[in-house]
Amino acid sequence: MAVHQPDCELQLPASAAAVNVALSGTESAALNRALPLVAVSASLYVLAQHALTPALTWPAVDNLPAVCRLLAPDCLANDFLASTSVTPNPRLPYIYLIAQLTLWSGTDLGGGLTIMKSLMLVLMPMVAVLFLVRVTRVHLPDAPLLALPGCLLALAAMVLMQGDAGAWLSVAWWRPLGFDPTPHNLGMLLTLAGFCLLHRFAAVGGMLVFTGTVFHPAMGLLTSAAAIVLLVRGLAPRPNIRLVLSGLAPSLAAAALVALVFSPAEPVSSAEFVRIYVVEGHPSHYLPAAFGTLTSYPWWVSFGSVMVGLMALTVSLWRARNPCWINALLALLAYAGALLMQYVFVEIMPVKAVVALGPARFMTFGPWFLAAFTLVLLLSPLARMMVRTSAPRLEPVPSWKFRPHAVWSGKLPGTTTERWTRARSWLLAAARLLGSIPVWTVLPLIALVAWLAVGYNSRANRLGGIDQLDRELIAFAIEHTAPDEVFILPFGNIRYALPILSGRGVFFGNGFPFTEDHFLEYDRRLSLVDGDSDSLAAVPGSWIGQKYSRFYDAHDPADFLSMAASARLDWVVVNRRATMGFDSCETAFTSQKYRVFNVDSLKGCVPP
């Protein structure tokens, strides 16, 4: 019997309404199959992409000098980075973890880092997909059947974020999704995994959030903030308060513990902290006036694209009457607020605590916000047609809500309601098909992932970013120098490769001492070797690394002798192209790329 409805509404046929009954078992079974299948597929995709790439690449290898020193007290005895990285600092928990994995691996110095890289390749894609699915389930709670297309859309979003699309939307060199075995990525992985579990296993989820923040306090706090922005449920006070307390409290506790345990013995002032850590050490990450970009466009193009996207999603979700528009608005304000905080508390009114947190790192989550809210927006029209009812009934839906129906035009005959009903039937059929698949069928995929990860771990333990000419220089260091001698090297990957592969220390390397006790010495060596910001202002170059390289090439023998007078320095390596007074100096080694001089030999080619 037909029920009269106003002209502005459409009527679901009774047969479609009847399908709404007793779907929980099928939907649950389908969801239990879909999530592991898609999660494992995400890992397979990423593992296939990285199958031939080395695990030991910068910036992850910055931790290896400290690992070497922990495993052998005389390793890199006079290396500046190794010596400063084993003193109390917030990176020590991660360094200890890598050291233990290295011992467990039974291989060489890079074994622990390679294990961590293979774990990141397996787990980070899985957690990314599961977290995006979790966001859609929070904001579309009455349509669990949508987990099927939601999983596929989440997989597509993960693929885009880890690729060129994610790089294009990155600000200040903060990629949305990376797999390098760094404290940054490990902290993000564990924190996101914790928020995936908080709703069912609060204790386990809270412990993961706590652990992620211990490994990287800033990333743990900022990831918790981003997850809360994505998972809060409109203006509902009780679940939102529970989420904030269960998610943010462990992160704050871990950050406070790390700050207490690793507080510096000789702290520097806020102004000095900003100058050394931001202006001199990491301008491309933390100085808005010098933010780096991964595209050929200025950083503000990527920032503006994310802002416009969040504005559009906020309006679209509001027009769709989905409460998630509040989350999109919060994300918009948080994203813009992070940049504002970075600018105000770095360039105008330096505050050490804010600078150490690094609000600019929150730019990592711009593409995450776009992906999550796009998924919710795409699934919302289907969700309105799939609300379960306790008994068969007609479900009137205003026709103006069916704007996406144009997608189905020509493909599904009949009225708009009939098209959506048939689409729903297709999803139900897919759910029943997935629900009928035995659980054990996921095991071969898991075995394949494990096989690829073990295979990667067995062959990827090699250093990336160096060429044969670099290896010739490293061979010279091993064969013709003493283990306790110190090199000074041009800007480039050779700075991290030579100490790791030869066991010889370097005067100044690629890493940073994450304790204020050594900030001043780091600043002194940086200004001598690569130049400070004032010196580099007059050096031409398209990016900071090119400026560093040209400043180094401008050194003459007298400059290196002056450095040797302030700290131990035995061997000077210059690029072959450098001609600043070295022609009359005795060369210990030469190749197509480098020239090497003993410091004592430089004294003979410097005018008295």
Side-chain angles (χ1 to χ4, degrees), residues 106-127:
T107 59
D108 57 16
L109 181 59
L113 208 60
T114 303
I115 292 175
M116 182 59 66
K117 177 66 176 287
S118 61
L119 290 175
M120 294 297 297
L121 290 175
V122 172
L123 298 178
M124 183 64 92
M126 287 186 178
V127 170

Side-chain angles (χ1 to χ4, degrees), residues 123-457:
L123 298 178
M124 183 64 92
M126 287 186 178
V127 170
V129 169
L130 294 176
F131 181 76
L132 290 174
V133 171
R134 174 64 189 150
V135 173
T136 62
R137 293 299 305 273
V138 166
H139 298 294
L140 301 170
D142 296 323
L145 190 59
L146 290 182
L148 302 177
C151 288
L152 297 177
L153 289 174
L155 176 61
M158 186 279 299
V159 171
L160 291 174
M161 284 197 298
Q162 62 89 44
D164 292 339
W168 203 94
L169 294 172
S170 299
V171 176
W173 291 354
W174 295 118
R175 285 182 175 271
L177 193 60
F179 310 105
D180 287 327
T182 62
H184 170 103
N185 286 336
L186 181 60
M188 180 178 175
L189 168 68
L190 294 176
T191 306
L192 288 178
F195 274 89
C196 287
L197 297 175
L198 277 178
H199 66 295
R200 286 190 178 179
F201 308 101
V204 177
M207 185 58 66
L208 286 173
V209 172
F210 181 90
T211 307
T213 308
V214 166
F215 284 125
H216 198 294
M219 199 59 197
L221 286 169
L222 294 174
T223 303
S224 295
I228 289 171
V229 167
L230 286 166
L231 294 174
V232 292
R233 304 187 182 192
L235 300 177
R238 181 171 297 179
N240 290 343
I241 292 174
R242 186 185 303 116
L243 174 67
V244 172
L245 291 179
S246 60
L248 193 57
S251 190
L252 289 172
L257 178 64
V258 170
L260 179 64
V261 172
F262 299 113
S263 59
E266 300 178 7
V268 299
S269 66
S270 294
E272 279 291 272
F273 191 95
V274 169
R275 185 184 67 80
I276 296 172
Y277 182 67
V278 174
V279 178
E280 305 296 349
H282 306 91
S284 298
H285 276 320
Y286 299 117
L287 188 63
F291 273 169
T293 177
L294 298 176
T295 71
S296 58
Y297 301 99
W299 66 268
W300 48 263
V301 175
S302 300
F303 177 82
S305 299
V306 174
M307 290 290 290
V308 170
L310 288 176
M311 291 178 189
L313 286 166
T314 301
V315 174
S316 299
L317 289 166
W318 175 75
R319 293 186 63 186
R321 298 188 180 181
N322 189 311
C324 189
W325 72 267
I326 298 175
N327 300 74
L329 180 60
L330 284 175
L332 176 67
L333 296 176
Y335 189 75
L339 177 62
L340 181 62
M341 287 181 64
Q342 190 72 30
Y343 175 72
V344 170
F345 296 113
V346 170
E347 299 198 27
I348 297 178
M349 186 178 60
V351 175
K352 186 188 295 187
V354 178
V355 176
L357 176 65
R361 199 184 291 263
F362 194 76
M363 302 292 107
T364 299
F365 298 102
W368 285 83
F369 293 146
L370 294 179
F373 298 134
T374 299
L375 262 61
V376 174
L377 181 64
L378 290 175
L379 295 173
S380 289
L382 280 173
R384 284 195 297 270
M385 291 298 299
M386 296 181 185
V387 176
R388 280 187 282 185
T389 55
S390 58
R393 64 181 177 88
L394 300 181
E395 185 72 20
V397 182
S399 60
W400 61 267
K401 290 187 178 182
F402 288 94
R403 295 186 184 277
H405 81 277
V407 176
W408 302 93
S409 297
K411 298 180 181 179
L412 294 174
T415 66
T416 302
T417 303
E418 291 171 344
R419 294 177 194 133
W420 283 113
T421 301
R422 297 188 186 189
R424 186 182 187 285
S425 299
W426 290 356
L427 286 174
L428 180 59
R432 287 173 174 162
L433 178 62
L434 279 174
S436 66
I437 298 177
V439 176
W440 61 263
T441 55
V442 181
L443 297 180
L445 288 179
I446 296 176
L448 179 59
V449 168
W451 178 76
L452 289 174
V454 171
Y456 177 87
N457 186 69

